[in-house]
Amino acid sequence: MPDPNSVLNWLVNLRATTIAAFGRMTVEDSRKIFTPEQYPSWVVFSNQQKLKWLNSHLEKLWPYVDEAASELVRSSVEPILEQYRPMILASLKFSKFTLGTVAPQFTGISILEDGTEGITMELEMQWDGNPSIILDIKTYVGVALPVQVKNIGFTGVFRLIFRPLVDEFPCFGAVCYSLRQKKKLDFTLKVVGGDMTAIPGISDAIEGTIRDAIEDSITWPVRKIIPILPGDYSDLELKPTGVLEVKLVQAKELTNKDLIGKSDPFAELYVRPIRDRMKKSKTINNQLNPVWNEHFEFVVEDPLTQHLVVKIYDDEGLQAAELIGCAHIRLNELEPGKVKDVWLKLVKDLEIQRDQKNRGQVHLELLYCPYGMKNGFSNPFAPNMSMTSLEKVFKSGAEGKEATKNGGEINRRKDVIVRGVLSVTVISADDLAPTDLMGKADPYVVITMKKTETKNKTRVVPESLNPVWNQTFDFVVEDGLHDMLILEVWDHDTFGKDYMGRCILTLTRVLMEGEYKETFELDGAKSGKLNLHLKWAPQPIYRDS
């Protein structure tokens, strides 16, 4: 660790040299205005003084920054735009790129104590610029569109990390920079000498491409490293820290986007919006309460700052899918090694929190598994179980067909098969909604395993809205990680039956914990809860070594 005084002296010298560079005074004279009691300057000076100094110098430097940064941004961003290029476009490049004459303004500054041998600085920046940015867009139908990006308004927080500190000028080995937080990004698109509506959906596609490219190319935890002194700075690079297992269970009360019939919902999920990392569920046709029960896996680089995003769309066939709603959850809300069961409210926009419309909810199960976790926890989704001979026959046949598809090999993750016996004790229900004219009901519960459609039902409890059953049912489960338990409450009548609500459960929690008791609210009911006791007994399977 270098002497802190050498770092502070370097900072003072840097400021003095900068002042002298603009002709205000000589370097020696500028040093004289600082006494030992006054430095470092940004500790003594107020934030307003620091920002005024930074902004005045940036304004003078901006013509040179514009010339250097414009080419740097163009050369680094253009390949990213190509990576995120919408499928409807044949090419997406810059024909002109300058940052304009208006310099950004720094509106906040802070030094973070992160416990590392370095200096971490965060600068809040606001920019209402006048850049000249023209995208040269070509479509597969031969249409060429020069699209101008105008009226850019941006507010965000940039993070600068100077690390490691060394006893050699300039006192640090490398600089990392990243967009720590994007508070606002507004811009408009205009076709030069044409009409953007000439190709339906192209404006939204380009806007989405720009936003996704910014999100994944420079937004934290992604960071760009600039070596200052020779050395190995691989420890500063972005690295995976764990795996997020996500089970997309279901959604309910989705907004209907179709004039005839109901929406055909599917979901897109991602931690980072890289095209080959984004996951898509199957489409459930004509359903506003879809049940998917699909499992996805994501690489996590920084669980303290990253979040999972879920977007629910209505499949419109050949036309662009229409967004029903979206939601996100921060990964720092998850306890490593423990399943979190959540219902997330869908909103129109994750950044603008003004949406009061009910767009529905999405049900997720989340499990974060850090690499090298050593507390006896094992990831139940990890494909590390050897298969029986019969499983190998089925697997090799399925994978062989997939491998020959399109003439190339496809790496498919083997599904883990977990067999066992599930014991379901239906203890009781509370506060059921009455269905009879007398304000009572005669409730019973139908228990179904979704994959095998095996069913059992409790006895009928006459004239009760708080029935007690205490009945246990055993189910042989062939694929515990991918099966579901459905419990429906009905009112028994002499001439029929009335539906009183249901709850749908995955088996993930009982597989991990072995046994638990829980109270579940009934969906599709005005009121009512179901009290259950679930227990899992793994079925011994003789496997090949």
Side-chain angles (χ1 to χ4, degrees):
M1 180 75 179
D3 182 4
N5 287 328
S6 66
V7 178
L8 299 179
N9 279 318
W10 173 80
L11 293 173
V12 172
N13 289 335
L14 175 63
R15 179 176 177 183
T17 304
T18 305
I19 294 173
F22 290 103
R24 294 188 178 183
M25 60 188 75
T26 66
V27 172
E28 289 304 318
D29 287 341
S30 65
R31 281 201 188 99
K32 292 177 183 177
I33 68 172
F34 303 110
T35 64
E37 292 77 22
Q38 289 176 306
Y39 66 84
S41 58
W42 42 47
V43 173
V44 175
F45 290 176
S46 68
N47 279 341
Q48 287 291 58
Q49 289 172 308
K50 301 172 197 173
L51 295 172
K52 184 178 180 181
W53 179 81
L54 283 171
N55 288 325
S56 65
H57 282 65
L58 180 60
E59 190 172 340
K60 292 187 172 89
L61 286 169
W62 186 246
Y64 307 99
V65 173
D66 175 34
E67 185 175 350
S70 293
E71 182 56 36
L72 176 64
V73 172
R74 177 175 180 166
S75 61
S76 59
V77 171
E78 206 166 65
I80 297 170
L81 288 177
E82 178 63 23
Q83 178 185 354
Y84 287 93
R85 173 173 52 84
M87 301 302 293
I88 60 174
L89 301 181
S91 68
L92 181 60
K93 297 181 179 181
F94 291 112
S95 62
K96 187 175 182 180
F97 191 104
T98 62
L99 295 176
T101 59
V102 179
Q105 291 289 301
F106 293 112
T107 57
I109 181 173
S110 61
I111 306 295
L112 304 182
E113 297 289 340
D114 57 5
T116 63
E117 293 189 357
I119 298 173
T120 300
M121 178 188 300
E122 289 195 345
L123 292 165
E124 183 174 25
M125 188 186 81
Q126 181 176 329
W127 187 41
D128 294 308
N130 61 345
S132 181
I133 302 174
I134 298 179
L135 290 166
D136 184 18
I137 296 171
K138 294 182 181 178
T139 68
Y140 286 104
V141 296
V143 178
L145 296 173
V147 176
Q148 186 176 11
V149 183
K150 300 181 61 179
N151 303 324
I152 292 180
F154 173 80
T155 302
V157 179
F158 280 91
R159 173 175 286 185
L160 300 175
I161 302 175
F162 304 88
R163 203 173 80 188
L165 299 181
V166 296
D167 55 4
E168 178 183 354
F169 185 83
C171 300
F172 55 87
V175 179
C176 292
Y177 68 91
S178 175
L179 177 59
R180 176 64 183 84
Q181 183 182 7
K182 175 168 61 70
K183 295 186 175 182
K184 184 188 80 169
L185 176 59
D186 297 327
F187 57 88
T188 57
L189 301 174
K190 181 181 179 181
V191 175
V192 180
D195 185 4
M196 184 67 81
T197 60
I199 303 178
I202 194 170
S203 178
D204 291 341
I206 297 173
E207 181 176 336
T209 297
I210 294 173
R211 293 183 184 278
D212 286 348
I214 293 173
E215 177 78 18
D216 200 63
S217 63
I218 195 176
T219 304
W220 185 269
V222 179
R223 71 291 304 262
K224 302 295 183 181
I225 302 171
I226 303 176
I228 303 298
L229 299 175
D232 179 12
Y233 303 112
S234 58
D235 61 317
L236 302 179
E237 295 175 354
L238 184 64
K239 293 184 178 68
T241 60
V243 173
L244 176 67
E245 308 284 356
V246 179
K247 184 166 282 189
L248 173 67
V249 183
Q250 59 182 318
K252 66 179 181 181
E253 301 173 1
L254 297 179
T255 301
N256 191 8
K257 294 292 184 177
D258 292 348
L259 295 176
I260 301 176
K262 298 177 181 177
S263 296
D264 306 314
F266 69 90
E268 281 188 353
L269 305 93
Y270 60 86
V271 172
R272 289 173 60 193
I274 307 177
R275 182 170 292 173
D276 59 1
R277 285 198 194 180
M278 296 178 71
K279 311 295 184 181
K280 181 180 177 181
S281 76
K282 61 178 178 284
T283 299
I284 308 295
N285 293 325
N286 199 38
Q287 181 61 257
L288 300 181
N289 297 282
V291 176
W292 289 286
N293 194 35
E294 292 188 62
H295 171 257
F296 305 99
E297 184 179 282
F298 300 92
V299 174
V300 175
E301 288 89 2
D302 185 2
L304 296 179
T305 62
Q306 288 182 292
H307 50 264
L308 173 74
V309 175
V310 185
K311 295 183 177 180
I312 310 295
Y313 293 90
D314 176 25
D315 191 344
E316 298 289 351
L318 297 177
Q319 299 180 13
E322 187 174 1
L323 180 67
I324 295 176
C326 52
H328 70 150
I329 181 170
R330 298 189 180 279
L331 301 191
N332 62 8
E333 299 179 27
L334 308 182
E335 181 180 342
K338 187 173 181 179
V339 174
K340 186 177 182 68
D341 190 295
V342 293
W343 281 93
L344 301 177
K345 180 184 177 182
L346 297 176
V347 296
K348 182 179 181 180
D349 192 302
L350 294 175
E351 295 185 7
I352 303 174
Q353 303 295 334
R354 299 175 184 172
D355 190 17
Q356 300 299 322
K357 182 179 179 181
N358 180 25
R359 299 175 181 274
Q361 300 180 64
V362 61
H363 182 194
L364 304 172
E365 282 185 350
L366 307 168
L367 173 65
Y368 174 57
C369 309
Y371 293 142
M373 191 172 182
K374 298 178 181 179
N375 63 349
F377 165 76
S378 60
N379 179 4
F381 294 96
N384 56 4
M385 298 172 62
S386 61
M387 295 185 291
T388 64
S389 299
L390 182 60
E391 290 170 354
K392 288 179 180 178
V393 170
F394 285 123
K395 285 286 182 185
S396 61
E399 289 175 1
K401 292 178 183 178
E402 188 68 23
T404 57
K405 200 174 183 180
N406 299 325
E409 290 191 2
I410 300 175
N411 292 323
R412 294 189 65 201
R413 182 174 179 271
K414 294 183 176 67
D415 288 332
V416 180
I417 298 176
V418 179
R419 293 188 176 96
V421 176
L422 176 67
S423 295
V424 181
T425 301
V426 184
I427 301 172
S428 61
D430 301 320
D431 195 27
L432 297 178
T435 58
D436 295 343
L437 294 176
M438 302 299 294
K440 294 287 186 179
D442 306 314
Y444 66 96
V445 182
V446 177
I447 309 104
T448 306
M449 295 306 303
K450 190 173 187 295
K451 276 200 165 186
T452 60
E453 297 185 353
T454 306
K455 293 187 178 183
N456 274 303
K457 67 178 180 178
T458 68
R459 64 178 177 274
V460 176
V461 177
E463 297 186 356
S464 177
L465 299 180
N466 298 281
V468 177
W469 292 284
N470 274 326
Q471 289 184 261
T472 301
F473 305 92
D474 292 336
F475 297 89
V476 177
V477 179
E478 293 294 328
D479 187 5
L481 287 177
H482 303 94
D483 211 339
M484 302 185 82
L485 180 67
I486 302 173
L487 300 104
E488 297 177 308
V489 182
W490 296 87
D491 172 38
H492 176 75
D493 284 330
T494 304
F495 301 104
K497 57 184 180 179
D498 295 318
Y499 180 70
M500 301 182 70
R502 73 174 182 180
C503 58
I504 299 177
L505 310 178
T506 70
L507 308 188
T508 310
R509 181 179 172 187
V510 73
L511 290 177
M512 294 187 65
E513 299 181 11
E515 180 178 5
Y516 72 91
K517 290 183 180 180
E518 191 64 86
T519 298
F520 300 93
E521 292 190 5
L522 294 175
D523 286 333
K526 293 181 180 179
S527 64
K529 299 178 181 178
L530 205 55
N531 302 304
L532 304 175
H533 179 192
L534 274 64
K535 189 174 181 179
W536 175 258
Q539 179 181 347
I541 301 175
Y542 294 99
R543 297 184 178 275
D544 297 337
S545 59

